Amino acid sequence: MERDVLARLLPLLRRAGVTVVAGTRKDLVLRVPGDAPATRVDMKVVRQRLSPSMTNRRTDDTRMLYVAPSAAPDVIAAAVAGGFDLVTDNPELVIVGGEVLLQSEEPRRRPGSGRPAWSRNAVVRVLALASRPLQQSELATTIGVSQQAVSLALSRLSSTVTRDEHGWVALDGALESWVRDYSGPGGTISSWYGLDDPAAQASTALQLLDELGLNAVVSGDLAADTYAPWQLPATVHMYLPEIIDFTVVGFSPAEPRDATMTIVVPEDPTVAHVAAEFGAHYSGRHFLADAAITLWDLLNTSTAPTAGEAAERLREGIRNGGLGA
């Protein structure tokens, strides 16, 4: 599947008038316009044009929501007939309960992209942060993959990592190479607006997550301010394991350009795993994103006017070896 389908899922549903009450990467609880009660749907993400053969028949009463880059005409007709729900990204289409709630006529033009190499990217990232050489077993534990996966990744990274007598180390320029090549964590993004300052907004959101028993990974401005203070944080940027409705604690859904808090359910599984293994806590049970992910978010998601200066200060901290394993 084209990588930004999931990233655009919530904005597409919101534009269609559908509220996501809760959910994970496998199911969602949806509320459609009108007085109908919220309904749980199983979610299946397809990485190619959705054909009729891919729409399995259900043996229970749970509705199925298919998310795909595009869909064949017969699939769209079946969704309109009420057989399942459907969201496509190119062209934009939202069909829920047999109702076409959003539809664009023309597909968007954009370059294709391959499946991300999460493990290989994470090997470079972790070694670029490490303050000492690491063994393959340590890399596997930190990233959350097998030693075989690490070995394969290392064999393809001769331009950015090398082995010395003590273990694997990053070559000069590895961090900048990773920042340049990493296309982001992908996943599902929700945007929220709150009136408090970013630290207070994060505190409110994390209190709700505590009640729900969920761990967050705090990145962006707030994480950078913890690692290497330089600027007043302008926004909240957090990674969560599932979709949460923050309206219950006073936030309002927002367009990305107006958001004061951005929540990402990442497709990259290494974001949360590396944060937990590095063990840097933001507050209570909630972790800081590793310094490289924080740097990427500063450069790509922060709206603070001094984000570039803050990123350089964070780079300096990474180069000095105090922000990694």
Side-chain angles (χ1 to χ4, degrees):
M1 186 186 72
E2 297 181 36
R3 288 192 56 205
D4 62 348
V5 176
L6 273 178
R8 287 168 47 79
L9 175 62
L10 290 190
L12 284 172
L13 289 173
R14 187 177 299 128
R15 285 170 51 200
V18 179
T19 301
V20 178
V21 178
T24 68
R25 292 178 63 185
K26 295 182 178 179
D27 57 31
L28 298 175
V29 178
L30 304 179
R31 181 178 291 117
V32 298
D35 298 327
T39 303
R40 187 178 77 83
V41 296
D42 287 345
M43 182 168 65
K44 183 175 179 60
V45 177
V46 179
R47 297 180 178 274
Q48 61 194 66
R49 181 177 173 84
L50 188 63
S51 65
S53 63
M54 299 175 186
T55 56
N56 300 325
R57 294 181 181 273
R58 302 291 290 173
T59 58
D60 55 35
D61 294 333
T62 304
R63 293 190 63 82
M64 175 67 78
L65 168 65
Y66 289 97
V67 182
S70 60
D74 287 351
V75 172
I76 296 173
V80 171
F84 45 80
D85 298 332
L86 176 66
V87 174
T88 67
D89 169 61
N90 193 23
E92 296 174 344
L93 178 66
V94 176
I95 303 173
V96 177
E99 296 292 329
V100 179
L101 302 176
L102 178 69
Q103 185 173 27
S104 65
E105 296 299 327
E106 296 295 332
R108 297 180 295 115
R109 297 177 61 86
R110 64 188 177 197
S113 57
R115 188 170 186 174
W118 302 126
S119 297
R120 188 160 71 244
N121 287 334
V123 167
V124 177
R125 171 169 116 239
V126 169
L127 288 176
L129 294 174
S131 57
R132 59 178 177 82
L134 298 179
Q135 301 297 320
Q136 284 191 24
S137 59
E138 293 176 289
L139 284 166
T141 298
T142 301
I143 296 168
V145 297
S146 68
Q147 289 196 45
Q148 290 84 351
V150 171
S151 178
L152 179 61
L154 290 168
S155 70
R156 298 178 176 178
L157 292 171
S158 59
S159 63
T160 50
V161 306
T162 190
R163 183 176 176 83
D164 64 18
E165 65 271 25
H166 302 295
W168 289 91
V169 296
L171 296 170
D172 289 344
L175 178 66
E176 292 309 314
S177 176
W178 176 83
V179 169
R180 182 181 63 251
D181 295 341
Y182 187 58
S183 57
T188 306
I189 300 173
S190 58
S191 303
W192 302 90
Y193 180 82
L195 297 175
D196 294 331
D197 65 81
Q201 289 186 43
S203 178
T204 298
L206 294 178
Q207 287 175 20
L208 174 61
L209 297 175
D210 286 338
E211 295 175 10
L212 298 173
L214 298 175
N215 294 341
V217 176
V218 178
S219 187
D221 295 358
L222 290 171
D225 190 54
T226 303
Y227 281 125
W230 179 256
Q231 66 179 22
L232 288 175
T235 56
V236 180
H237 194 91
M238 295 194 295
Y239 296 99
L240 300 186
E242 61 185 74
I243 300 165
I244 298 297
D245 181 6
F246 287 98
T247 60
V248 296
V249 288
F251 289 90
S252 301
E255 292 298 318
R257 65 179 179 275
D258 300 321
T260 59
M261 183 174 75
T262 300
I263 303 297
V264 182
V265 181
E267 192 177 2
D268 183 349
T270 72
V271 172
H273 201 279
V274 172
E277 287 297 318
F278 275 14
H281 286 266
Y282 176 78
S283 173
R285 65 191 296 155
H286 308 292
F287 294 100
L288 284 172
D290 65 71
I293 289 291
T294 300
L295 175 63
W296 192 92
D297 278 327
L298 269 184
L299 295 171
N300 291 276
T301 70
S302 176
T303 60
T306 57
E309 298 169 60
E312 185 52 43
R313 190 174 183 87
L314 184 56
R315 279 193 184 95
E316 182 180 352
I318 296 171
R319 286 194 293 265
N320 290 338
L323 302 180

